[in-house]
C-alpha cells in the first residue's frame, strides 16, 4: 500500500504549502510531496494531519472519521484558546458582561462558526494550562 497523509482544516478553509484545505478530507500521496511540505503541514496548528498506509474498509472508515472529528474538535479548541489568550483584555467590545470573549469576535478571528460550548471549552483549556 502507498503511504498517504489525510489533511483537514480547522476553519472552513485554510491554505498552506500552495494548497487549500477544507473540513473535507484531502488525501495526498506522500511520494508526491517534499519532506519540507509534509513537515509544514504537520506543524500547522490550523490543520489536522494523519497518516494512512492501507485502504480502509467501511467500518475502519467510520472509525477513522470519528477519530478525525475528535482530532478536529481538539485542534479547534486549542486554536480558540490561543486566540482568547491573545485578545486585548482592556477592549470591552471583545468581551461579554460575564468576562467571556464575544462569540462574533472569535468567529471573525477563526474564520469559522463558534458555539458557546466551544468557547467555554477553550476557556477551560486555557485555565487548565495556566495552572500547570
Amino acid at each position: 500500500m502507498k503511504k498517504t497523509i489525510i489533511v483537514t482544516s480547522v476553519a472552513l478553509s485554510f491554505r498552506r504549502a500552495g494548497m487549500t484545505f477544507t473540513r473535507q478530507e484531502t488525501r495526498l500521496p506522500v511520494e508526491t510531496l517534499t519532506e519540507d511540505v509534509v513537515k509544514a503541514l504537520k506543524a500547522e496548528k490550523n490543520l489536522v494531519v494523519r497518516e494512512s498506509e492501507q485502504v480502509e474498509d467501511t467500518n475502519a472508515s467510520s472509525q477513522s472519521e470519528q477519530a478525525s472529528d475528535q482530532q478536529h474538535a481538539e485542534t479547534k479548541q486549542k486554536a480558540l484558546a490561543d486566540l482568547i489568550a491573545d485578545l486585548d483584555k482592556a477592549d470591552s467590545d471583545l468581551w461579554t458582561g460575564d468576562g467571556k470573549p464575544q462569540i462574533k469576535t472569535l468567529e471573525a478571528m477563526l474564520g469559522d462558526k463558534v458555539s458557546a460550548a466551544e468557547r467555554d471549552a477553550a476557556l477551560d483549556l486555557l485555565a487548565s494550562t495556566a495552572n500547570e
Side-chain angles (χ1 to χ4, degrees):
M1 302 289 157
K2 292 185 178 182
K3 194 172 194 177
T4 302
I5 60 170
I6 302 165
V7 184
T8 55
S9 172
V10 172
L12 293 176
S13 69
F14 187 81
R15 287 190 56 82
R16 177 61 65 231
M19 295 175 271
T20 300
F21 299 97
T22 66
R23 290 187 170 171
Q24 297 293 325
E25 289 185 350
T26 300
R27 295 175 175 269
L28 302 168
V30 173
E31 74 265 5
T32 65
L33 305 170
T34 66
E35 188 175 321
D36 288 342
V37 167
V38 173
K39 285 180 183 178
L41 294 175
K42 287 181 176 181
E44 178 53 60
K45 68 180 180 180
N46 292 303
L47 297 175
V48 176
V49 179
R50 56 191 173 86
E51 295 182 10
S52 174
E53 289 191 39
Q54 60 185 1
V55 176
E56 299 174 350
D57 62 24
T58 306
N59 188 30
S61 179
S62 175
Q63 291 172 348
S64 174
E65 288 175 19
Q66 289 173 352
S68 180
D69 289 347
Q70 177 64 29
Q71 192 174 15
H72 179 270
E74 290 170 2
T75 304
K76 184 175 182 181
Q77 184 182 35
K78 174 73 170 97
L80 282 169
D82 290 345
L83 291 174
I84 292 168
D86 291 340
L87 286 176
D88 182 358
K89 309 274 187 276
D91 188 344
S92 62
D93 290 338
L94 303 178
W95 304 90
T96 67
D98 294 338
K100 296 180 179 180
Q102 294 279 357
I103 297 288
K104 65 182 181 181
T105 300
L106 296 175
E107 288 177 339
M109 293 173 71
L110 188 63
D112 193 9
K113 291 283 186 189
V114 176
S115 70
E118 289 172 323
R119 175 203 55 203
D120 293 346
L123 284 168
D124 290 344
L125 175 64
L126 197 56
S128 70
T129 56
N131 293 331
E132 292 178 355

